């Protein structure tokens, strides 16, 4: 007892250490081991090391959801182990391998890839996986890009059949002119506004706006696939380099869920499917994850605004509504986010939207434009195929087509909605012009918005899968609506169409007030021209498209880029000083496709999201049969 109470009198251990010293040594050793393992799991960029100790958990691909909705159960094949995906430097971090001027980096990137005529950007990449870049956590890879490309029925950029027969043909010259317009638009943006969201061509500077929550480079992301399609490979490499080095996601503003989805996520997804460049896939998935908090509502119907800082949608605005066109235009992109990430949450979110819409009562089969995300009830009975409603209907028929015609729910919803539109909104003016009016609780506004002019192309696209007795009718209806929209252009002094046009007081297909007389480089009319051309090959659609090209050149081209105009009925209109990003994403792309062969971004292989970004049809194999995607 005495010896135990005297600190200096402690027997030695077998290591030559006294017991307190041994205890302290073991305590230090255990702390060191704990620190090492903690660093392994908690330090940044440790995902590869984690996989040494944690068994990977893979999830099923997203496009199988389409088959599941349709009642099909696809077969599964063994999935290869996930590959580490490349990453991009986080904001504020330097990539040691890419220091130096942007000009030097740009030139180096160009020299590493084929840029000859019609060479696919992924031709020399073997498995379609780019080299990793340090600085951002990887997204596990679960998509066989080569197998996907092998299933396409046509070359992405087409065969160029007309070029071999008539190298100096008028159509080729027209297409080259549109390509020059795209090059000029891009070069103007790059010179005066690179990295900003949009170009202001009159003041020759950039514009950010508040719509994207602090995200930058909207014009760059929107332009990627158009540059690639037109084989402007030097410009495409400039855009890709910016995405790799300067497109950062650590923003903290409030963003439009709809606009971020269709422009940024749609643009990144299509750029990945066209090129196989991993940076696009990674950025799309990471950005998609930032949008998920918008769905945290009582019904699962997302709010229109997502706060990137808090991740919430804001109960302070619980009395406000969600807009049909916004929450109804997520399906295409979110299924592809699941396909490319293996994360089912994206597909589940949009399936729930369908579930809510199927369950809710619809007045006369019509879909009003405003829905409460809290109660799940319609807020008011305003129905429009133009603004607020438009792309909801578009995404129904395109979901059917993208699923290789297995998504029966989308098909049924589309044709039921179209029949209600026919019954209650479709009209013919005294002058013989067919138009789709707007409906306010049973009272019609006899007008169409420019945005509604996409509907000619949509109806044409869906005509072949309608009931047999209605197929010819729908094709004719599509042609008549497109003719009406053309008349809204033809009846203006500039040969460009107004934002909205009316059918009343003896005036038809014209705006009735200055506030509706502007044109902001919108694509919807030329979009319908493109679809009607591909369905009918009636030369009138190329004639009308060329009239638009000439009008854009005469009235919208300025020294610093293309600009919208404030009054289409003035022969000397003022400009609005904005080159919209969708002008490069949609208007010029649809014009280019109008003057291209049908196998360039063939409608057998691709659907276009509402920002004209091509997303692939879910072909099950390379032999031509359709069905759910099998794992590989």
């Amino acid at each position: 007892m005495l010896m135990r109470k005297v600190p200096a009198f402690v027997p030695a251990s077998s290591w030559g250490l006294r017991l307190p010293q041994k205890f302290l040594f073991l305590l230090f050793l255990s702390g060191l081991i704990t620190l090492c393992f903690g660093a392994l799991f908690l330090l940044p960029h440790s995902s590869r090391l984690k996989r040494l100790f944690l068994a990977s958990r893979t999830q099923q691909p997203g496009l199988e959801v389409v088959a599941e909705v349709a009642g099909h159960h696809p077969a599964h094949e063994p999935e290869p182990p996930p590959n580490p995906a490349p990453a991009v430097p986080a904001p504020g971090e330097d990539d040691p391998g890419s220091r130096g001027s942007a000009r030097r980096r740009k030139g180096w990137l160009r020299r590493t890839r084929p840029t000859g005529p019609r060479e696919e950007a992924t031709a020399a990449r073997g498995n379609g996986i780019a080299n990793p870049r340090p600085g951002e956590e990887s997204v596990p890879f679960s998509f066989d890009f080569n197998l996907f490309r092998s299933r396409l029925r046509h070359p992405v950029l087409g065969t160029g059949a007309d070029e071999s027969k008539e190298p100096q043909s008028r159509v080729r010259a027209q297409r080259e002119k549109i390509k020059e317009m795209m090059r000029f638009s891009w070069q103007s943006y790059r010179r005066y506004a690179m990295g900003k969201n949009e170009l202001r061509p009159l003041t020759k500077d950039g514009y950010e706006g508040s719509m994207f929550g602090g995200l930058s480079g909207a014009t760059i992301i929107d332009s990627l696939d158009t540059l690639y399609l037109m084989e402007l490979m030097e410009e495409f490499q400039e855009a890709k380099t910016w995405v790799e080095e300067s497109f950062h996601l650590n923003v903290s503003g409030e963003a439009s869920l709809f606009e971020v989805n269709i422009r940024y996520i749609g643009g990144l997804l299509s750029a990945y499917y066209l090129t196989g460049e991993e940076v696009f896939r990674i950025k799309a998935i990471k950005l998609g994850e930032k949008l998920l908090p918008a769905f945290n509502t009582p019904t699962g119907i997302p709010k229109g605004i997502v706060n990137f800082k808090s991740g919430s949608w804001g109960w302070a605005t619980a009395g406000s509504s969600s807009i049909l066109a916004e929450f109804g235009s997520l399906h295409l992109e979110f299924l592809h986010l699941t396909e490319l990430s293996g994360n089912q949450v994206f597909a589940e979110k949009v399936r729930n939207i369908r579930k809510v819409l199927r369950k809710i009562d619809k007045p006369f089969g019509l879909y009003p434009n405003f829905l409460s995300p809290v109660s799940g009830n319609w807020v008011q009975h305003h129905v429009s195929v133009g603004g607020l409603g438009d792309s909801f209907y578009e995404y129904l028929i395109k979901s059917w087509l993208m699923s290789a015609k297995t998504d029966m729910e989308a098909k049924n919803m589309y044709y039921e909605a179209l029949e209600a539109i026919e019954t209650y909104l479709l009209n013919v003016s005294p002058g013989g012009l067919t138009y789709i009016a707007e409906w306010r609780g049973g009272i019609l506004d006899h007008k169409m918005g420019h945005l509604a002019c996409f509907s000619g192309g949509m109806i044409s696209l869906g005509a072949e899968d309608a009931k047999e007795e209605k197929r010819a009718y729908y094709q004719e209806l599509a042609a008549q609506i497109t003719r009406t929209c053309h008349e809204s252009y033809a009846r203006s002094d500039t040969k460009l169409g107004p934002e909205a046009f009316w059918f009343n007081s003896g005036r038809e297909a014209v705006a009735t007030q200055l506030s509706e007389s502007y044109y902001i480089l919108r694509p919807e009319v030329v979009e319908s021209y493109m679809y009607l051309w591909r369905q009918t090959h009636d030369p009138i659609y190329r004639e009308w498209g060329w009239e638009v090209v000439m009008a854009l050149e005469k009235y919208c081209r300025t020294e610093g880029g293309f600009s919208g105009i404030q009054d289409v009925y003035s022969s000397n209109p003022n400009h609005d000083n904005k080159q919209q990003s969708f002008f490069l994403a949609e208007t010029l792309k649809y014009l280019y496709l109008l003057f291209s062969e049908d196998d360039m971004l063939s409608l057998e292989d691709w659907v276009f999201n509402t920002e004209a970004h091509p997303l692939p049809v879910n072909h099950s194999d390379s032999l031509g049969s359709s069905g759910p995607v099998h794992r590989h």
Side-chain angles (χ1 to χ4, degrees):
M1 292 294 293
L2 179 62
M3 290 196 310
R4 289 178 177 243
K5 293 181 181 178
V6 180
F9 196 82
V10 180
S13 71
S14 59
W15 289 354
L17 297 174
R18 299 183 185 277
L19 288 176
Q21 293 171 316
K22 178 180 179 181
F23 173 76
L24 290 173
F25 177 78
L26 292 175
L27 186 64
F28 171 76
L29 186 61
S30 65
L32 182 62
I33 294 172
T34 302
L35 181 63
C36 291
F37 274 86
L40 176 65
F41 283 86
L42 297 177
L43 285 178
H45 322 310
S46 63
S47 58
R48 296 183 190 180
L49 293 173
K50 289 180 187 179
R51 283 197 286 269
L52 295 174
F53 298 92
L54 300 178
S56 62
R57 292 180 296 175
T58 57
Q59 295 169 290
Q60 296 303 318
L63 293 186
E64 291 181 347
V65 172
V66 173
E68 184 179 328
V69 168
H72 296 279
H73 300 282
H76 296 279
E77 296 178 18
E79 183 172 296
N83 292 317
V88 183
E93 294 182 2
D94 289 326
D95 176 0
S98 62
R99 287 199 175 114
S101 72
R103 184 174 302 171
R104 288 203 308 274
R105 271 196 303 268
K106 181 175 63 180
W108 176 79
L109 281 167
R110 285 189 211 129
R111 288 192 294 271
T112 63
R113 300 176 56 80
T115 57
R118 302 207 174 274
E119 289 188 46
E120 297 295 341
T122 56
R125 290 196 171 266
N127 62 5
I129 301 174
N131 292 326
R133 295 172 59 87
E136 185 176 285
E137 187 175 347
S138 301
V139 176
F141 188 82
S142 60
F143 184 81
D144 190 327
F145 182 79
N146 278 340
L147 184 58
F148 148 68
R149 289 300 287 264
S150 72
R151 290 172 173 170
L152 297 179
R153 280 82 185 279
H154 303 274
V156 173
L157 299 182
T159 58
D162 68 321
E163 295 181 18
S164 61
K165 296 177 182 177
E166 299 178 86
Q168 304 301 322
S169 70
R170 181 170 183 262
V171 170
R172 182 178 182 184
Q174 291 170 316
R175 187 168 62 248
E176 287 299 312
K177 173 58 185 174
I178 298 162
K179 181 175 179 178
E180 183 278 328
M181 293 166 70
M182 178 65 187
R183 184 186 290 111
F184 172 71
S185 301
W186 172 262
Q187 290 176 346
S188 299
Y189 167 80
R190 182 190 61 187
R191 180 176 181 182
Y192 302 117
M194 189 66 175
K196 301 293 185 181
N197 280 322
E198 289 171 314
L199 164 69
R200 296 194 295 189
L202 301 187
T203 50
K204 296 181 179 178
D205 58 6
Y207 174 78
E208 283 292 277
S210 59
M211 189 163 53
F212 305 117
L215 294 173
S216 58
T219 292
I220 298 173
I221 307 295
D222 253 353
S223 298
L224 283 163
D225 50 23
T226 309
L227 293 171
Y228 185 85
L229 172 69
M230 295 185 183
E231 299 180 84
L232 295 170
M233 289 306 176
E234 181 175 319
E235 291 81 357
F236 175 81
Q237 290 297 337
E238 293 168 348
K240 173 177 170 282
T241 300
W242 184 89
V243 174
E244 289 178 320
E245 299 174 0
S246 303
F247 182 46
H248 305 313
L249 306 182
N250 63 338
V251 294
S252 58
E254 291 188 339
S256 164
L257 171 70
F258 169 75
E259 297 290 352
V260 170
N261 179 62
I262 66 170
R263 301 198 203 202
Y264 284 90
I265 292 180
L268 291 167
L269 288 172
S270 64
Y272 172 71
Y273 281 118
L274 291 174
T275 69
E277 293 285 357
E278 279 288 283
V279 63
F280 301 133
R281 185 184 72 93
I282 295 167
K283 293 287 189 180
I285 294 167
K286 294 289 187 183
L287 187 52
E289 291 169 352
K290 292 177 70 71
L291 298 182
L292 292 176
F295 294 83
N296 295 335
T297 67
T299 60
I301 295 292
K303 286 290 291 184
I305 300 297
V306 60
N307 188 313
F308 283 146
K309 183 176 183 180
S310 67
S312 68
W313 60 275
W315 284 94
T317 56
S320 62
S321 306
S322 295
I323 296 172
L324 180 68
E326 295 187 347
F327 67 78
S329 303
L330 305 169
H331 206 92
L332 303 181
E333 297 85 356
F334 272 51
L335 285 190
H336 280 289
L337 285 175
T338 284
E339 173 69 5
L340 295 183
S341 70
N343 188 347
Q344 284 292 321
V345 68
F346 299 109
E348 289 167 358
K349 296 299 185 186
V350 291
R351 276 195 297 175
N352 180 68
I353 293 173
R354 287 257 193 98
K355 181 180 178 180
V356 172
L357 290 176
R358 291 292 283 173
K359 184 177 179 181
I360 192 173
D361 289 333
K362 292 167 277 292
F364 305 100
L366 297 168
Y367 288 84
N369 291 334
F370 300 98
L371 182 72
S372 167
V374 177
S375 68
N377 296 321
W378 302 117
V379 174
Q380 56 177 278
H381 286 182
H382 173 222
V383 178
S384 169
V385 180
L388 305 177
D390 48 9
S391 48
F392 163 70
Y393 306 98
E394 172 189 0
Y395 272 40
L396 290 177
I397 188 61
K398 288 181 177 178
S399 293
W400 159 250
L401 296 172
M402 193 178 80
S403 72
K405 303 184 179 181
T406 61
D407 186 354
M408 292 301 298
E409 181 179 56
K411 179 183 181 182
N412 292 335
M413 289 176 70
Y414 170 74
Y415 289 108
E416 289 167 6
L418 186 56
E419 288 182 8
I421 290 167
E422 288 177 65
T423 303
Y424 297 102
L425 306 185
L426 195 62
N427 281 266
V428 179
S429 73
L433 296 180
T434 301
Y435 63 98
I436 301 175
E438 298 188 5
W439 190 82
R440 297 181 186 274
I443 300 173
L444 291 184
D445 286 339
H446 292 274
K447 74 168 185 176
M448 278 186 74
H450 193 292
L451 288 167
C453 285
F454 85 98
S455 58
M458 176 188 73
I459 294 170
S460 176
L461 190 61
E464 115 178 29
D465 293 317
K467 296 175 183 176
E468 187 172 357
E469 64 271 19
K470 298 203 73 170
R471 291 173 187 171
Y473 164 75
Y474 279 139
Q475 194 60 58
E476 179 60 24
L477 176 61
Q480 290 301 321
I481 291 172
T482 302
R483 183 171 77 91
T484 297
C485 291
H486 168 258
E487 285 299 314
S488 76
Y489 276 53
R491 299 181 186 195
S492 76
D493 292 51
T494 59
K495 306 306 177 187
L496 294 168
E499 183 69 4
F501 48 94
W502 291 77
F503 301 84
N504 55 22
S505 305
R507 304 183 70 190
E508 298 186 359
V510 294
T512 58
Q513 48 193 354
L514 186 61
S515 62
E516 298 175 332
S517 298
Y518 60 90
Y519 171 72
I520 58 172
L521 307 176
R522 286 204 186 276
E524 288 76 21
V525 172
V526 295
E527 175 182 355
S528 285
Y529 292 169
M530 189 277 290
Y531 282 114
L532 269 293
W533 163 257
R534 289 216 172 172
Q535 298 291 337
T536 69
H537 290 134
D538 186 335
I540 193 64
Y541 299 113
R542 280 183 166 173
E543 292 177 21
W544 291 349
W546 191 245
E547 290 173 6
V548 175
V549 171
M550 293 294 95
L552 288 169
E553 281 286 291
K554 183 174 182 179
Y555 294 105
C556 298
R557 186 164 182 151
T558 73
E559 182 183 351
F562 282 89
S563 172
I565 57 178
Q566 296 178 358
D567 184 4
V568 298
Y569 302 106
S570 169
S571 57
N572 188 27
N574 294 320
H575 293 97
D576 67 8
N577 194 27
K578 197 167 184 182
Q579 181 176 279
Q580 304 277 352
S581 79
F582 56 69
F583 177 67
L584 292 81
E586 300 185 74
T587 309
L588 292 177
K589 182 187 287 124
Y590 284 133
L591 284 168
Y592 190 79
L593 291 172
L594 175 62
F595 291 95
S596 299
E597 292 296 293
D598 290 359
D599 62 354
M600 177 174 283
L601 288 182
S602 167
L603 298 182
E604 284 190 276
D605 289 325
W606 304 91
V607 297
F608 294 90
N609 85 339
T610 197
E611 191 79 354
H613 295 307
L615 299 172
V617 171
N618 179 20
H619 297 313
S620 65
D621 57 54
S622 59
L623 301 178
S625 64
S626 298
V629 166
H630 299 290
R631 287 319 292 156
H632 27 268

